[in-house]
Amino acid sequence: MTPHTSGLHHVTAIAGAPQRNIDFYVTGLGLRLVKKTVNFDDPGTYHLYYGDDAGRPGSLLTFFPWTGISSGRPGSGQSTSTAFSVPAGSLGWWAGHFQKLGVESEFVRRTADEERLSLRDPDGLQLDLVASSTVDPRNPWDSASVPADYAVRGQHSSVLTVADPTGTVEVLTRDLGMHVIEETPGRIRVGAGDGAPGNIVDIIADPNGQVGLTAGGSVHHIAFRVPDKTTQEQWRQELVARGYGVTAILDRQYFTSIYFREPGGVLFEIATDTPGFDIDEPLLELGRSLKLPPWLEPSRDQIERAVVPITLPGENNPALVAGR
């Protein structure tokens, strides 16, 4: 029997200057940097993970930041928008917050039960803050810049833009165990479980659109949750049997991963909920130090010389700052 994903695990995007990326997501969006590590396939580049206080699956947005990278182009075969869940009635506060930061934003009402504030990050990545009538019970990261009453609760949804949605919907429903929630002209919404925030994918059909270019300001892949490596291996075997080109299980230190490309061209990852981000540093200190997997530790000196120096805002670890 095909396992069912319990929702979104993380989204990984490409950015430019890492310090600018940190400043926007910690101070601007009010997320916590829960891990500062490197791209295991390109150790001269950071891999930055943002999320809630512990970096729980479903709260995470991660980046590969390359200084000087060219801008991408949104289009078919990509995840073209990443949405975060915020409390109902909070979008006015967020609009004022972004105005103070010099970030343009726009209100968009999609349905009677869902209102969005749309904006772009410093590299042009499309982001939405979604306030819906569905109460999101997840606890936020309470930062100095964004009080808990307004703060991001976690991911809300991702938008996939494809030329033909048929194969994409089939993968999500047949192979990942999600279900269609709603169909409107040009858009199909699917969800995992009860379709609550963090469990939603919107598929947009754009048959005449230009194929997207993945570079700065674009999503590299989206990841779906699986509880453990045993279930992940079962899923891999089933996907291979159905003809998908699936990678081997890869150790990402804080979870394990498999990757495959769905028929619409979007790169999918299936990632485990375990072991989590506190396996190599205490919860209080998440994100403070450059963490490397055991196989890269012998090259630490070389890696530290290669990566760009960055500074982490004190609000990322407020208890430690207060205790100085």
Side-chain angles (χ1 to χ4, degrees), residues 22-307:
I22 289 172
D23 292 342
F24 177 81
Y25 283 95
V26 173
T27 304
L29 206 59
L31 302 180
R32 187 183 191 192
L33 181 71
V34 295
K35 195 61 59 178
K36 179 173 64 175
T37 182
V38 294
N39 182 337
F40 294 171
D41 301 316
D42 180 11
T45 302
Y46 288 112
H47 192 174
L48 305 176
Y49 291 80
Y50 303 93
D52 62 14
D53 63 324
R56 295 175 182 85
S59 74
L60 295 162
L61 177 60
T62 93
F63 285 91
F64 302 136
W66 280 286
T67 299
I69 192 169
S70 59
S71 296
R73 180 185 65 238
S76 178
Q78 288 184 330
S79 176
T80 50
S81 180
T82 300
F84 288 95
S85 173
V86 296
S90 68
L91 293 185
W93 182 91
W94 278 103
H97 172 70
F98 287 126
Q99 184 177 31
K100 292 174 185 176
L101 297 176
V103 176
E104 294 183 0
S105 62
E106 178 184 9
F107 287 99
V108 178
R109 181 171 290 279
R110 179 147 298 150
T111 68
D113 298 323
E114 183 181 294
E115 188 176 20
R116 294 176 175 241
L117 187 69
S118 292
L119 63 143
R120 293 186 181 274
D121 83 353
D123 291 291
L125 184 70
Q126 178 67 51
L127 301 172
D128 287 346
L129 299 184
V130 180
S132 74
S133 60
T134 302
V135 176
D136 191 334
R138 293 175 291 180
N139 292 324
W141 172 241
D142 186 5
S143 75
S145 299
V146 182
D149 286 348
Y150 310 107
V152 167
R153 267 48 184 170
Q155 290 189 59
H156 178 275
S157 55
S158 282
V159 172
L160 310 183
T161 300
V162 295
D164 181 354
T166 306
T168 303
V169 173
E170 184 176 81
V171 170
L172 291 168
T173 55
R174 184 194 67 180
D175 300 319
L176 300 188
M178 303 177 82
H179 59 277
V180 174
I181 297 174
E182 180 185 37
E183 293 189 51
T184 55
R187 180 183 293 264
I188 302 171
R189 170 165 286 192
V190 301
D194 59 1
N199 303 336
I200 300 168
V201 175
D202 288 322
I203 304 101
I204 293 178
D206 189 9
N208 301 314
Q210 193 174 25
V211 175
L213 172 65
T214 301
S218 59
V219 170
H220 185 269
H221 64 267
I222 71 169
F224 297 90
R225 296 176 62 177
V226 66
D228 51 47
K229 193 174 179 180
T230 300
T231 311
Q232 185 181 59
E233 176 57 40
Q234 178 190 349
W235 220 336
R236 183 182 181 278
Q237 292 172 5
E238 293 200 19
L239 289 167
V240 169
R242 289 176 178 169
Y244 295 106
V246 189
T247 67
I249 294 178
L250 302 175
D251 184 359
R252 297 311 192 195
Q253 189 74 352
Y254 312 106
F255 47 87
T256 59
S257 302
I258 58 174
Y259 301 83
F260 68 100
R261 203 168 288 278
E262 56 84 31
V266 183
L267 183 61
F268 281 0
E269 175 183 354
I270 296 175
T272 57
D273 285 350
T274 54
F277 289 94
D278 59 353
I279 62 166
D280 58 0
E281 59 184 339
L283 183 65
L284 186 68
E285 300 183 16
L286 290 182
R288 290 189 83 202
S289 305
L290 178 65
K291 294 298 178 181
L292 301 176
W295 61 90
L296 289 179
E297 273 296 346
S299 303
R300 174 174 284 276
D301 289 345
Q302 178 183 351
I303 290 170
E304 289 184 338
R305 287 194 299 270
V307 295

